[in-house]
Amino acid sequence: PSFTRAPGVPTHARRLAALQGPRTMEVTAKPAADLDVLKGGERQEVSVLMLGREQSGRTSLVLSLEALRTGVYPKRFERKPATPEMYPGLPESGKQHTIPPRDPGGLPLVILDTAACGVRDQVRLPGGRRLPIALRSSSLQHDAVLFVLDGTDVPIWEDPHRAEELAALAATLRQQQYSVVIAVTKLLKAREFALREVAHGCDFKGLVGRDPRASYEEFVSRYLEKTCVTLQAAPPLKNYLAAQGDGAPTWPKPGATILDIPTWVSVRDYEAWQDRRGTPELPNLRYIKAQLEKLVTALSILPEVKSGHPWHQLVDDDDRTLAGA
């Protein structure tokens, strides 16, 4: 999708108007013909909104996906704006990446990497729910939302406010029929740091995310499981999952909707990993590629369309609200 600027309206004026405008999401129905295309799955692309904190590894992730398809790691061209953005969460301040399909006839993955997302980059919905502000003016153009968590950052089970914020966002997005996936980056770096600390005599006493354990697989498995349990225990997501009934799939689920995503951070790093194809200890090149493919598959799942409720509709028709959100 492209984001064009309104002629004759300065950028700062439009952003200021957005700040002063109504804080509720508009309900805009697509034409029936467009809905029929969505229901039939005849999409031209898979559009993904990527959200995460500063330095969470979002850029390395999308560049690694590009390298997965092309076999060449793209060069970074990152420039900071001369003046700070008044409203950095708006989609027009983001960067769009197109990931080609693996097989002929497949759909490309179009990822919009926004500015770092925080509380001030959210819009409130009726019932106290929230959605990323980046969805405000592009809600009809995204199929999925990708949250990127930094494995070297404070884990969410040690940050209750952040855990509840993420759970509330995820519950609202899933209720509105978005595919929601969590990618955890830098877990290899986190374990390497833990191994160095243990070598210097530190005893983490089995703490998840701190104790390096006997293998990378065990370290990652415990981290993902703890993240899932923490999010599912947060009231917004707990109430949403309870309302879905016993037969509904749980979310997030390790290996499906929350994934360990090792990435390459530079051209040199990508080239160095080419010699680690089948090493006994993970991660190796095959593991990284397999995880990146799993991420593409998870993001490409067609959102469900409720009868009479377009998948992109962001406010319920009736008085139902997400309890506890």
Side-chain angles (χ1 to χ4, degrees), residues 29-210:
K30 278 193 173 184
D34 289 347
L35 282 178
D36 291 339
V37 170
L38 281 171
K39 290 179 180 179
E42 300 175 4
R43 298 178 294 175
Q44 299 300 312
E45 63 187 25
V46 179
S47 183
V48 179
L49 178 67
M50 182 167 61
L51 302 171
R53 285 183 168 181
E54 190 72 26
Q55 302 297 321
S56 59
R58 304 188 315 276
T59 301
S60 294
L61 192 155
V62 293
L63 294 183
S64 295
L65 287 172
E66 291 182 24
L68 177 71
R69 290 287 179 261
T70 64
V72 178
Y73 193 88
K75 293 183 179 180
R76 290 175 179 260
F77 295 98
E78 296 180 335
R79 291 182 300 175
K80 294 185 178 180
T83 58
E85 297 282 353
M86 288 183 60
Y87 211 73
L90 286 174
E92 64 183 11
S93 67
K95 184 176 181 180
Q96 185 173 289
H97 302 263
T98 301
I99 313 301
R102 179 176 61 178
D103 303 316
L107 295 177
L109 199 68
V110 179
I111 301 177
L112 180 65
D113 181 13
T114 66
C117 181
V119 175
R120 71 190 183 96
D121 301 315
Q122 297 174 18
V123 63
R124 292 184 179 275
L125 297 182
R129 295 171 294 166
R130 297 175 179 175
L131 279 178
I133 190 66
L135 285 170
R136 184 177 187 181
S137 55
S138 59
S139 60
L140 305 184
Q141 300 168 339
H142 295 296
D143 301 303
V145 176
L146 172 63
F147 290 105
V148 181
L149 298 184
D150 183 351
T152 62
D153 199 354
V154 177
I156 63 171
W157 57 86
E158 296 180 8
D159 189 347
H161 176 75
R162 184 185 176 203
E164 185 160 352
E165 179 186 73
L166 178 55
L169 284 171
T172 306
L173 289 165
R174 285 185 58 80
Q175 186 192 43
Q176 302 300 334
Q177 306 305 315
Y178 286 89
S179 296
V180 184
V181 181
I182 299 175
V184 184
T185 60
K186 305 184 185 180
L187 284 178
L188 175 59
K189 186 176 181 180
R191 183 170 184 264
E192 289 175 344
F193 174 78
L195 287 170
R196 287 196 297 269
E197 292 296 298
V198 169
H200 287 85
C202 185
D203 184 6
F204 290 108
K205 301 184 183 300
L207 287 176
V208 178
R210 300 285 195 272

Side-chain angles (χ1 to χ4, degrees), residues 219-231:
F219 178 82
V220 168
S221 176
R222 297 175 81 229
Y223 191 101
L224 297 184
E225 189 64 36
K226 183 80 170 180
T227 302
C228 291
V229 170
T230 301
L231 290 174

Side-chain angles (χ1 to χ4, degrees), residues 265-318:
V265 298
S266 65
V267 174
R268 180 175 296 180
D269 185 44
Y270 174 76
E271 293 173 348
W273 276 92
Q274 303 307 305
D275 296 329
R276 308 178 192 176
R277 293 183 177 274
T279 57
E281 185 176 354
L282 296 181
N284 54 34
L285 184 63
R286 292 178 182 174
Y287 177 83
I288 295 177
K289 288 185 175 182
Q291 292 302 106
L292 291 171
E293 291 289 1
K294 286 182 180 180
L295 179 61
V296 173
T297 300
L299 292 171
S300 301
I301 296 176
L302 181 67
E304 297 178 3
V305 182
K306 291 183 178 179
S307 177
H309 293 268
W311 66 272
H312 58 270
Q313 185 170 319
L314 298 177
V315 179
D316 295 337
D317 286 338
D318 50 27

